[in-house]
Amino acid sequence: MTDLATQIQQFNIKLAAQVPQEVLEAFRKSIEDLKTKNIEEKSIKIGETIPNFSLKNAKNEVVNSSDILKNGKMIIAFYRGSWCPYCNLELKALQEKISEFKEKNATLVAISPQSPDNSLTVIEKHHLTFEVLTDKDNVFAKQLGIVFELQDFVLPYYHALGIDLSSFNKNADNSLPIPAVFVVNESSKIIYKFADANYMNRIDIDELLKTL
């Protein structure tokens, strides 16, 4: 079991002890429903060309994928938002491997639909040294086929936990990307893909490193 997987397992144990069973059941039902939609299989595939993007970073500066790819491969990590504990664990785990990514001539960027000010918060909190970009209204993620709308039945439980997506994402919908990581080569071709609608399951970073 990887370090990240171990951390997630430990977090799940704590969560089960702290959160009412009704809430956990709603989250489980939400995940089961998402898995029936086969988002992973329907999304962009290895060997396909990824669209170019121009997205704002936490400083409101525009970052272009074409510029990143001039320097080598690109790792794109989609996460739901800074409110998601599983995403935070993954971002921290990726940060711990940043020097190894650089040694393999790969640039890591993280993308979520949350606003730049919320991205800045997550950067400062976890001392991230890679770009954290805002995909406003999930426009780019939709091109890749990894977006879903959070179900109505689970929204009250998110709100009860203080998670207001409209505040984080600055829009009125409840759309999110499933957790996904892509490696793109200099020709914009996807050479590695991880995607899982179950947000508790995360990438094996050692496996990711082997593909670079």
Side-chain angles (χ1 to χ4, degrees), residues 21-71:
Q21 187 61 37
E22 178 187 359
V23 178
L24 297 176
E25 181 61 22
F27 289 166
R28 184 194 63 78
K29 183 180 175 184
S30 173
I31 291 170
E32 284 188 355
D33 178 63
L34 284 177
K35 294 296 285 187
T36 66
K37 301 182 186 303
N38 297 316
I39 299 171
E40 303 94 333
E41 291 78 11
K42 293 176 181 177
S43 59
I44 194 166
K45 297 173 175 56
I46 292 175
E48 294 185 342
T49 300
I50 207 159
N52 291 327
F53 65 71
S54 296
L55 302 173
K56 287 186 177 181
N57 64 13
K59 298 177 182 178
N60 268 305
E61 301 165 336
V62 175
V63 174
N64 298 303
S65 57
S66 56
D67 292 335
I68 295 172
L69 292 173
K70 290 175 183 176
N71 300 312

